[in-house]
Amino acid sequence: MGRTAPEVSAGGASHQLVRHTHFMGNNYFNTSGSSRYDWWRCTFTKELSADDSYLVVKGSVMGTRLENTGNCGAYCTLDHWGVGTGTGSPTDQRAFGGWHHLGPRDSDDEQVIILIQKVFKADDLSSDPQSNMAGTFPKAQLGAGSHSLDLGCSASSTVKPMKYWNIGQGQDSRQHQQGAFLSIMEYRY
């Protein structure tokens, strides 16, 4: 008893995957005592210009000890843009957000997960090829070439989603080594 798959008109090359870059990590990290830190920096190459493509980022990170419940200062940005690292590098709300965390509070024994999901689409295209998608990032930051995707937190030393990132048996004998993954997908408009 066969089934017929629904047929969808291609309608051109819109939303075609151009490049997929995948990262995995299992490095243990303790976020204690720092008010601003980069957790993960992944270098990748964007094939097309900001006029021709956008990025979708997805991933997850495991850890323990939820420190607080706010998303204050959480950033997912390109080339460290908009995080506000000092003079000449102002903050911009478009650099922040893109990941959320959940888990029980104040226990080194309980799991925490960070879920990463953000779309980087130029918000200042003169002729918008996908007007149904909200622009999220400046066109000047989304050009072709080498970039870094930066995940981290920029807040007080007590504001962070988790204390321990990618724990393993070295930190808790009951745990297998935890890991993280990140996918950066470039799509044609």
Side-chain angles (χ1 to χ4, degrees), residues 6 33 39 74 86 128 148 173 179:
W39 284 342
D128 195 340
S148 67
S173 62

Side-chain angles (χ1 to χ4, degrees), residues 158-187:
T158 60
V159 176
K160 54 186 151 253
M162 70 172 114
K163 185 174 181 180
Y164 305 110
W165 166 297
N166 287 336
I167 65 166
Q169 287 187 336
Q171 294 75 45
D172 184 341
S173 62
R174 301 167 297 171
Q175 300 290 337
H176 295 287
Q177 179 63 50
Q178 294 179 343
F181 82 91
L182 185 72
S183 288
I184 302 171
M185 295 159 283
E186 179 180 3
Y187 289 95

Side-chain angles (χ1 to χ4, degrees), residues 14 54 104 116 118 123 132 155 160 163 178:
S14 184
Y54 62 98
I116 304 157
K118 189 166 184 176
D123 60 5
N132 63 328
K160 54 186 151 253
K163 185 174 181 180
Q178 294 179 343

Side-chain angles (χ1 to χ4, degrees), residues 6 28 32 67-68 73 81 100 106 148 168:
Y28 168 75
S32 294
E67 292 283 282
N68 61 44
W81 181 86
H100 301 280
D106 302 325
S148 67

Side-chain angles (χ1 to χ4, degrees), residues 97-139:
W99 58 266
H100 301 280
H101 59 279
L102 56 122
R105 284 190 61 147
D106 302 325
S107 173
D108 289 349
D109 298 328
E110 299 294 335
Q111 303 280 318
V112 176
I113 186 170
I114 291 178
L115 299 174
I116 304 157
Q117 183 168 338
K118 189 166 184 176
V119 174
F120 292 90
K121 179 197 175 221
D123 60 5
D124 48 359
L125 295 173
S126 58
S127 174
D128 195 340
Q130 293 292 336
S131 57
N132 63 328
M133 293 173 57
T136 58
F137 222 65
K139 178 179 174 180

Side-chain angles (χ1 to χ4, degrees), residues 22-86:
H22 189 75
F23 298 91
M24 297 193 68
N26 63 358
N27 294 336
Y28 168 75
F29 184 68
N30 183 336
T31 65
S32 294
S34 180
S35 60
R36 189 189 166 287
Y37 40 85
D38 298 324
W39 284 342
W40 206 0
R41 172 170 261 198
C42 301
T43 303
F44 68 100
T45 301
K46 188 170 181 290
E47 301 261 338
L48 303 174
S49 72
D51 291 312
D52 297 320
S53 70
Y54 62 98
L55 300 172
V56 175
V57 176
K58 292 186 177 198
S60 68
V61 178
M62 299 299 295
T64 60
R65 189 168 182 85
L66 180 68
E67 292 283 282
N68 61 44
T69 56
N71 281 330
C72 193
Y75 59 84
C76 176
T77 189
L78 297 178
D79 304 318
H80 226 263
W81 181 86
V83 176
T85 57

